[in-house]
């Protein structure tokens, strides 16, 4: 029998996955992983609509990558709750190593890069982070922060916990692929400043994830 979202669930969560706003390297299509640069000067204007859409939400939990571009995004979209956020380095983008700051045009003739494009799970950027290490840290965050059945304290009279995660494009793709059945890593496209909403309904020791329309 197909289970509808919320039907018989013992816990439910609505998770907003938010990609940071635009940086100069995003505009220049440069690989940006652990390099810690901030948002463009007009970030407030870019993120104003998202801030308005989230203005009436009271978050039960806020998690944010510790990199500057994510912290600045958080300050723009949730200024009154930003101080409650837990900064978590596990939410960083993958480290591109020697490829940080380079473009496709600069790398396209590099045979290791070509192999990585074809099989990123099997090839590691020079002095960068392996797929195994990248996925392992996100799995730890998932199990501890999003998929735990620990007792939950809610801030409102509702049985649905509200969680926001401010992070990076690659991390969001990975999280969506893990939370929604049938989704592959590259199935999700998310631009800077975009939010993706997922509902998790807990049944026994498992969760069922559903992507919701946002806003």
């Amino acid at each position: 029998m197909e289970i509808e979202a919320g039907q018989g669930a013992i816990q439910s969560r609505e998770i907003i996955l938010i990609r940071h706003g635009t940086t100069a390297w995003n505009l220049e299509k440069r690989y940006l992983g652990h390099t810690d640069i901030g948002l463009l000067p007009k970030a407030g204007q870019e993120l104003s609509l998202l801030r308005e859409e989230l203005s009436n939400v009271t978050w039960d939990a806020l998690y944010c990558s510790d990199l500057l571009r994510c912290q600045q995004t958080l300050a723009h979209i949730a200024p009154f709750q930003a101080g409650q956020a837990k900064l978590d380095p596990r939410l960083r983008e993958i480290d591109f190593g020697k490829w940080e700051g380079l473009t496709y045009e600069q790398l396209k003739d590099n045979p290791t890069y070509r192999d990585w494009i074809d099989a990123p799970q099997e090839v590691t950027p020079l002095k960068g982070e392996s797929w195994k290490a990248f996925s392992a840290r996100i799995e730890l965050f998932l199990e501890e922060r999003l998929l735990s059945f620990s007792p939950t304290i809610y801030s409102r009279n509702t049985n649905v916990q509200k969680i926001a995660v401010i992070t990076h494009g690659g991390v969001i793709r990975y999280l969506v692929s893990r939370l929604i059945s049938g989704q592959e890593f590259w199935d999700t496209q998310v631009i800077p400043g975009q939010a993706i909403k997922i509902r998790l309904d807990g049944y026994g020791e498992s969760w069922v994830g559903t992507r919701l329309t946002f806003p």
Side-chain angles (χ1 to χ4, degrees):
M1 179 180 67
E2 184 176 347
I3 299 175
E4 295 182 3
Q7 182 181 355
I10 62 172
Q11 284 192 37
S12 295
R13 293 169 182 169
E14 287 185 358
I15 301 169
I16 302 285
L17 304 174
I18 300 166
R19 186 178 177 187
H20 62 79
T22 304
T23 70
W25 282 16
N26 293 139
L27 285 182
E28 297 163 2
K29 300 188 183 303
R30 299 182 184 277
Y31 279 101
L32 177 57
H34 285 201
T35 303
D36 202 9
I37 64 176
L39 302 178
L40 292 171
K42 294 184 178 180
Q45 180 179 341
E46 176 192 28
L47 296 168
S48 60
L49 180 58
L50 182 58
R51 172 175 172 164
E52 181 180 347
E53 291 165 347
L54 298 175
S55 61
N56 293 322
V57 180
T58 300
W59 303 105
D60 295 297
L62 270 168
Y63 303 108
C64 183
S65 163
D66 64 336
L67 295 180
L68 179 62
R69 56 194 184 272
C70 289
Q71 293 193 56
Q72 290 178 333
T73 299
L74 172 63
H76 281 297
I77 65 173
F80 301 111
Q81 281 194 267
Q84 302 170 25
K86 294 181 173 64
L87 301 182
D88 197 323
R90 294 175 297 186
L91 290 171
R92 290 185 178 193
E93 183 61 277
I94 194 169
D95 184 354
F96 296 108
K98 290 293 187 180
W99 300 344
E100 290 271 334
L102 300 182
T103 66
Y104 171 80
E105 288 299 319
Q106 293 171 307
L107 290 166
K108 65 182 181 181
D109 296 324
N110 182 321
T112 304
Y113 174 74
R114 300 299 308 181
D115 291 341
W116 176 77
I117 289 289
D118 293 335
Q121 292 87 349
E122 301 172 13
V123 180
T124 301
L126 181 61
K127 295 192 176 182
E129 185 176 20
S130 69
W131 180 267
K132 182 178 180 180
F134 171 68
S135 59
R137 61 178 166 87
I138 301 175
E139 286 291 335
L140 286 174
F141 173 82
L142 260 173
E143 294 300 325
E144 180 182 329
R145 300 300 190 184
L146 302 185
L147 301 179
S148 169
F149 276 95
S150 301
T152 303
I153 299 175
Y154 302 105
S155 61
R156 300 162 310 283
N157 294 321
T158 176
N159 62 348
V160 180
Q161 187 185 27
K162 306 282 189 179
I163 301 173
V165 181
I166 298 90
T167 183
H168 309 265
V171 178
I172 291 174
R173 289 188 182 99
Y174 187 90
L175 290 172
V176 173
S177 73
R178 284 283 284 107
L179 295 175
I180 300 181
S181 178
Q183 289 290 298
E184 300 294 334
F185 181 82
W186 291 113
D187 289 343
T188 300
Q189 300 301 318
V190 54
I191 63 174
Q194 182 183 353
I196 291 176
K197 187 175 185 179
I198 294 174
R199 180 177 173 113
L200 288 182
D201 290 299
Y203 303 89
E205 296 181 354
S206 63
W207 294 91
V208 174
T210 308
R211 183 165 174 175
L212 303 179
T213 300
F214 182 86

